[in-house]
């Protein structure tokens, strides 16, 4: 079996899908995207296709190594996201060719389903308590919300008080046993992160995500190690080498690599196993589409330290299309009691609606994250 073609589709609301075809008639799908940079990732996929066409798709580890190391310059968001979608599609091909789900090729399952959480409140957290109650009523047992809007290095206590009030209202609305993740989204600099972590302690949070940007963890490690709130981060880290120092610091309790950003299933599993060696949990990042979620669930199936899975159903970014729109059978993601079942069909376990993908790709998208500014006119982290 040889690879014959590599095709990308930029589809609404902000995703990029990838199809790899073979001369045996087996097709694999992946989701190579970096939010806001989908066209750049698609261009990188096209460049990498020079190494792929004519190759045996079953040699996944060798192809990954060539695509990572063969261009001399390596790593970073664009390269690793392009490689991620290719890797997902290669695993999809291999599973389909052998008639088994990807997790069977990775040692089999350690679980049949995994807990998921639902996003609430949008970029600027609002009406979070009502939204939390609604998703809990639909069966979710965990939610995640943005903690703040813009924050300066040193900011006023009304911003802190608003964050605390939002979290307190959600806790009151859902009761003591629903998990609440609070995402600082890299908006918070070290001085204010110290304040917020302390003030949030009484609310029994599931985790605080990206309390500071990952590049600042080394200077903040003592605070993070001593926080009683579990610390999660990693969506903006792209390889096992990026995660190495973060894990060694002891500052993180849950790693969040994104299998559509960090080199795919192959690399995400290696990161997950590194984390397990440090007794650190895994919560794969996935505010993306159905192919990305399917890839995450194949990883979750076989990783003992996988603890909860992000998913984008109803997320505030999904305006023109939502998670299930591109699937032939949306029931493949069966949500029940706050969990989702691991797909057990061949490959990634899903069947995409290729005709609808082509139709929506004709419209495409040009999604960009907002650019925020402080009151003094300076750039604010989003």
């Amino acid at each position: 079996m040889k690879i014959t073609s590599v095709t990308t589709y930029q589809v609404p609301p902000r995703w990029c899908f990838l199809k790899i075809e073979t001369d045996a008639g087996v097709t694999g799908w992946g989701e190579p995207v970096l939010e806001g940079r989908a066209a750049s990732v698609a261009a990188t996929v096209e460049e990498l296709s020079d190494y792929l066409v004519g190759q045996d798709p079953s040699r996944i580890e060798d192809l990954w190594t060539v695509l990572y190391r063969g261009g001399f310059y390596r790593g970073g968001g664009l390269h690793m996201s392009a490689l991620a979608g290719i890797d997902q599609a290669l695993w999809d091909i291999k599973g389909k060719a052998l008639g088994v789900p990807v997790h069977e090729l990775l040692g089999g399952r350690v679980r049949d389903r995994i807990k998921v959480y639902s996003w609430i409140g949008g970029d600027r957290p609002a009406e979070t308590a009502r939204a939390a109650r609604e998703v809990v009523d639909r069966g979710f047992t965990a939610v995640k919300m943005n903690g703040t809007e813009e924050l300066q290095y040193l900011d006023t206590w009304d911003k802190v008080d608003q964050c605390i009030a939002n979290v307190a209202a959600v806790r009151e609305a859902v009761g003591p046993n629903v998990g609440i993740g609070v995402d600082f989204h890299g908006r918070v600099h070290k001085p204010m992160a110290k304040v917020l972590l302390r003030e949030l302690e009484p609310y029994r949070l599931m985790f605080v995500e990206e309390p500071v940007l990952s590049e600042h963890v080394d200077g903040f490690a003592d605070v993070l190690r001593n926080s009683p709130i579990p610390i999660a981060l990693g969506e903006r880290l792209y390889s096992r080498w990026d995660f190495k120092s973060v894990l060694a610091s002891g500052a993180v309790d849950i790693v969040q690599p994104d299998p559509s950003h960090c080199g795919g299933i192959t690399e995400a599993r290696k990161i997950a196993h590194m984390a397990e060696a440090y007794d650190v949990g895994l919560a794969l990042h996935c505010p993306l589409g159905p192919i990305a979620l399917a890839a995450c669930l194949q990883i979750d199936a076989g990783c003992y330290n996988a603890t909860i899975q992000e998913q984008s159903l109803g997320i505030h970014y999904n305006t023109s299309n939502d998670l299930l729109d591109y699937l032939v059978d949306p029931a493949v993601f069966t949500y029940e009691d706050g969990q989702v079942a691991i797909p057990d069909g061949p490959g990634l376990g899903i069947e995409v609606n290729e005709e609808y993908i082509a139709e929506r790709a004709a419209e495409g998208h040009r999604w960009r994250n907002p650019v925020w500014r402080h009151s003094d006119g300076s750039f604010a982290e989003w």
Side-chain angles (χ1 to χ4, degrees), residues 66-78:
V66 170
L67 294 176
Y68 179 75
R69 299 179 185 273
F72 187 74
Y73 300 101
R74 58 195 67 169
L78 297 179

Side-chain angles (χ1 to χ4, degrees), residues 5-21 27-35 37-46 49 81-90 92 96 258-261 286-295 312 318 320-328 333 348 350-362 364-365:
S5 67
V6 179
T7 309
T8 55
Y9 304 84
Q10 293 181 60
V11 296
R14 57 177 193 159
W15 304 331
C16 181
F17 296 161
L18 162 69
K19 178 175 68 172
I20 295 182
E21 296 178 276
T27 298
W29 288 86
E31 193 166 332
V33 67
L34 195 66
E35 298 93 299
R37 301 290 183 267
S40 299
V41 174
T44 306
V45 169
E46 195 279 328
S49 70
S81 297
L83 179 49
I86 292 167
D87 181 81
Q88 293 167 4
L90 294 176
D92 195 31
K96 287 174 178 174
D258 188 319
S260 281
H261 300 339
C286 189
L288 299 171
I291 303 171
L293 179 57
S312 74
N318 294 355
S320 54
N321 282 100
D322 210 335
L323 175 68
L324 306 178
D325 293 352
Y326 293 100
L327 297 176
V328 172
F333 296 135
L348 294 179
I350 61 172
E351 182 181 356
V352 299
N353 185 335
E354 187 170 350
E355 183 177 341
Y356 186 63
I357 288 172
E359 176 187 327
R360 298 301 287 142
H365 69 86

Side-chain angles (χ1 to χ4, degrees), residues 61-381:
E61 191 71 37
D62 182 63
L63 288 172
W64 196 99
T65 301
V66 170
L67 294 176
Y68 179 75
R69 299 179 185 273
F72 187 74
Y73 300 101
R74 58 195 67 169
L78 297 179
H79 181 198
M80 298 305 285
S81 297
L83 179 49
I86 292 167
D87 181 81
Q88 293 167 4
L90 294 176
W91 280 109
D92 195 31
I93 289 170
K94 191 159 192 169
K96 287 174 178 174
L98 297 173
V100 296
V102 167
H103 62 257
E104 286 294 334
L105 303 175
L106 300 173
R109 292 182 296 186
V110 299
R111 61 177 51 82
D112 301 320
R113 61 195 65 85
I114 189 166
K115 185 175 182 177
V116 292
Y117 64 79
S118 178
W119 263 97
I120 58 170
D123 277 341
R124 296 184 181 275
E127 298 186 356
T128 43
R130 177 189 57 79
R133 186 67 261 168
E134 288 176 356
V135 299
V136 169
D137 288 343
R138 297 205 310 268
F140 287 93
T141 58
V143 299
K144 189 171 82 171
M145 58 187 285
N146 277 311
T148 73
E149 298 187 9
E150 302 94 328
L151 274 186
Q152 286 276 22
Y153 278 85
L154 291 173
D155 219 315
T156 53
W157 272 94
D158 62 312
K159 301 276 189 72
V160 176
D161 291 341
Q162 186 60 58
C163 172
I164 302 307
N166 287 341
V167 174
V170 171
R171 175 54 75 206
E172 182 178 358
V174 301
N177 297 319
V178 169
I180 301 173
V182 176
D183 191 354
F184 285 9
H185 216 251
R187 298 172 183 173
V188 184
H189 298 282
K190 184 167 68 171
M192 296 306 295
K194 292 167 67 174
V195 173
L196 284 168
L197 284 173
R198 184 188 67 232
E199 296 297 314
L200 286 167
E201 285 182 18
Y203 298 98
R204 299 182 176 182
L205 299 182
M206 179 171 63
F207 56 73
V208 162
E209 180 173 336
E210 269 197 329
V212 292
L213 289 169
S214 297
E215 54 262 39
H216 301 315
V217 166
D218 55 347
F220 201 52
D222 286 343
V223 174
L224 299 179
R225 280 194 293 260
N226 291 319
S227 173
I229 303 172
I231 301 300
L233 57 86
E235 69 191 65
R236 287 189 261 197
L237 301 176
Y238 305 114
S239 72
R240 74 199 91 148
W241 297 281
D242 290 345
F243 277 91
K244 184 167 62 171
S245 61
V246 170
L247 287 168
S249 75
V252 61
D253 305 295
I254 303 158
V255 291
Q256 299 174 300
D258 188 319
S260 281
H261 300 339
C262 74
I265 293 170
T266 297
E267 186 73 354
R269 272 178 54 86
K270 293 175 181 178
I271 294 165
H273 294 324
M274 284 174 61
E276 186 183 357
Y278 287 90
D279 203 24
V280 167
L282 176 72
L284 294 170
H285 182 255
C286 189
L288 299 171
I291 303 171
L293 179 57
C296 287
L297 294 175
Q298 295 297 328
I299 298 166
D300 292 328
C303 288
Y304 176 73
N305 56 334
T307 181
I308 196 167
Q309 179 58 59
E310 181 174 23
Q311 52 83 48
S312 74
L313 188 64
I315 198 172
H316 47 287
Y317 304 118
N318 294 355
T319 51
S320 54
N321 282 100
D322 210 335
L323 175 68
L324 306 178
D325 293 352
Y326 293 100
L327 297 176
V328 172
D329 178 17
V332 69
F333 296 135
T334 302
Y335 293 83
E336 187 175 354
D337 298 327
Q339 299 180 322
V340 65
I342 306 296
D344 58 6
L348 294 179
I350 61 172
E351 182 181 356
V352 299
N353 185 335
E354 187 170 350
E355 183 177 341
Y356 186 63
I357 288 172
E359 176 187 327
R360 298 301 287 142
E363 177 178 325
H365 69 86
R366 198 172 176 84
W367 187 87
R368 298 290 185 267
N369 63 255
V371 174
W372 288 359
R373 292 190 178 275
H374 295 296
S375 60
D376 63 2
S378 64
F379 176 82
E381 291 283 359

